Amino acid sequence: MKAVGFHTSLPIGDPQALVDLAQPRPVPRPRDLLVRVQAVSVNPVDVKVRGRVTPAPGAPHILGYDAAGLVEAVGPEVRLFKPGDAVFYAGALDRPGTNAEFHAVDERLVGPAPRTLTPSQAAALPLTALTAWELLFDRLRVPYGAMAGGDALLIINGAGGVGSILTQIAARLTGLTVIATASRPETEAWCQAMGAHHVIDHRKPIDRELARIGLPQVRYVASLSGSDQHRDAIVAALAPQGALALIDDPETFDIVPFKRKSLSVHWELMFTRSLFGTPDMDQQHRILTEVSRLVDAGLLRSTLREEMGAITAEALRRAHAAQESGRSIGKTVLAGF
């Protein structure tokens, strides 16, 4: 089968940073689906893994987590899907990735693709939707579907992939006032289109920006990038007994200043369930099933922003470069081989 991967960690401008490959078709495990991949999207984790993994000689590393496709075959213990089903998912960190014509994935991590979306539109959603859903409902424990209340959520980096779908989920499925941060006219417009009630500029002091919109403190903060840079502002912005959830990778993150206000700090990594085979691993199947239903009901929309062509090394190098620029909006998708 065709695939895209790398033999050594190189800057994305190097033609060998990602290369076209011919690889054996994967053999499904007992609970695996073998998926014929139709579309994939690129996430910050793709860039991070490419920068820190050194593949063994002769064993290229295939990246890719988000995918939409059709079930080609199933393992003997599969109960949730059958060949021909349209699916979408974010895969696992410790298995070969989705930048390949065929991909094996545990059925407990997979949801039925939204019927109202194209494969490209569907591929934009799984990893970020899972991250946003787990952050909001599992980590911060915001009540799902509770529309009453005066609490607010501040989303730092509202125009990124996670921020785009988190804004939608929080604005449409909870009673929270959603405040997103953005620093350019185009990202501000994107946050507003995703449903943010307010958009503030994270290049300015966040406490002053919150005061400007009449919400000097919030109960929840979702810090999606620059958490170490914004730490003091987050402490100031959170109301006593509030909560922070973060997903990025600061070298260090001192939480001692959070004590005085009795603030809680939560990490979110959507790969935790699959990495550790947790008893509730099938929760990701349930989340994606619900996301699919909400999309088809018109409550959530795809965060696809740009399509970069077919799934080739050259196109993926461009997609990785866009991700590394720090200026990407929503999600970038590639489709077809």
Side-chain angles (χ1 to χ4, degrees):
M1 67 175 183
K2 294 179 181 178
V4 178
F6 65 98
H7 295 279
T8 186
S9 179
L10 295 167
I12 198 59
D14 191 309
Q16 295 300 306
L18 291 169
V19 295
D20 293 307
L21 303 165
Q23 293 290 105
R25 186 183 295 196
V27 177
R29 298 175 185 175
R31 295 208 65 174
D32 276 357
L33 311 177
L34 181 65
V35 177
R36 182 185 291 271
V37 174
Q38 295 175 303
V40 301
S41 70
V42 176
N43 294 280
V45 66
D46 293 85
V47 172
K48 292 173 185 176
V49 172
R50 200 194 83 245
R52 67 181 181 223
V53 169
T54 302
H61 191 96
I62 298 174
L63 290 169
Y65 303 97
D66 277 327
L70 299 174
V71 177
E72 183 83 2
V74 299
E77 297 179 14
V78 166
R79 299 292 180 267
L80 300 174
F81 298 95
K82 64 184 184 304
D85 285 346
V87 295
F88 73 150
Y89 58 91
L93 198 60
D94 56 351
R95 299 188 66 178
T98 58
N99 294 338
E101 283 187 280
F102 294 93
H103 183 250
V105 61
D106 191 300
E107 65 168 345
R108 291 169 288 184
L109 306 176
V110 177
R115 297 186 306 275
T116 54
L117 298 185
T118 65
S120 291
Q121 293 168 328
L125 285 173
L127 188 149
T128 53
L130 286 165
T131 299
W133 195 283
E134 291 179 357
L135 181 152
L136 192 64
F137 299 122
D138 294 351
R139 312 300 170 229
L140 294 179
R141 300 188 181 279
V142 173
Y144 174 75
M147 303 309 291
D151 293 327
L153 167 69
L154 171 64
I155 301 173
I156 297 175
N157 188 20
V162 175
S164 299
I165 190 65
L166 176 57
T167 297
Q168 295 183 58
I169 291 171
R172 289 156 197 167
L173 304 180
T174 78
L176 295 173
T177 296
V178 180
I179 308 157
T181 78
S183 61
R184 311 192 309 271
E186 59 269 32
T187 53
E188 180 179 353
W190 179 262
C191 290
Q192 291 170 337
M194 293 298 106
H197 299 104
H198 304 278
V199 183
I200 64 175
D201 189 343
H202 52 242
R203 295 175 303 181
K204 300 177 180 178
I206 286 177
D207 55 345
R208 294 182 191 174
E209 283 287 277
L210 288 172
R212 177 178 62 80
I213 63 171
L215 293 166
Q217 291 194 317
V218 299
R219 183 170 179 183
Y220 305 105
V221 172
S223 184
L224 310 181
S225 66
S227 296
D228 48 351
Q229 303 166 32
H230 296 295
R231 189 207 60 183
D232 292 346
I234 291 169
V235 173
L238 278 167
Q241 303 183 86
L244 162 70
L246 59 162
I247 68 171
D248 56 340
D249 298 292
E251 278 194 33
T252 60
F253 191 76
D254 182 6
I255 65 171
V256 171
F258 290 76
K259 179 179 179 180
R260 183 174 174 83
K261 286 185 173 179
S262 296
L263 304 173
S264 58
V265 179
H266 308 264
W267 288 101
E268 161 58 21
L269 177 68
M270 56 77 46
F271 293 115
T272 295
R273 283 178 161 127
S274 57
L275 278 172
F276 293 94
T278 60
D280 66 345
M281 195 166 85
D282 59 351
Q283 177 67 2
Q284 295 204 336
H285 164 70
R286 289 190 287 271
I287 292 169
L288 288 175
T289 300
E290 180 68 356
V291 168
S292 183
R293 184 188 72 79
L294 291 165
V295 168
D296 287 338
L299 290 173
L300 299 177
R301 55 176 278 195
S302 174
T303 55
L304 169 62
R305 169 79 173 189
E306 183 176 8
E307 293 188 72
M308 283 198 173
I311 305 168
T312 66
E314 189 277 332
L316 277 164
R317 287 195 298 270
R318 286 191 285 113
H320 277 234
Q323 189 67 239
E324 289 181 9
S325 74
R327 298 178 65 83
S328 59
I329 301 173
K331 294 298 295 293
T332 298
V333 172
L334 302 92
F337 288 87

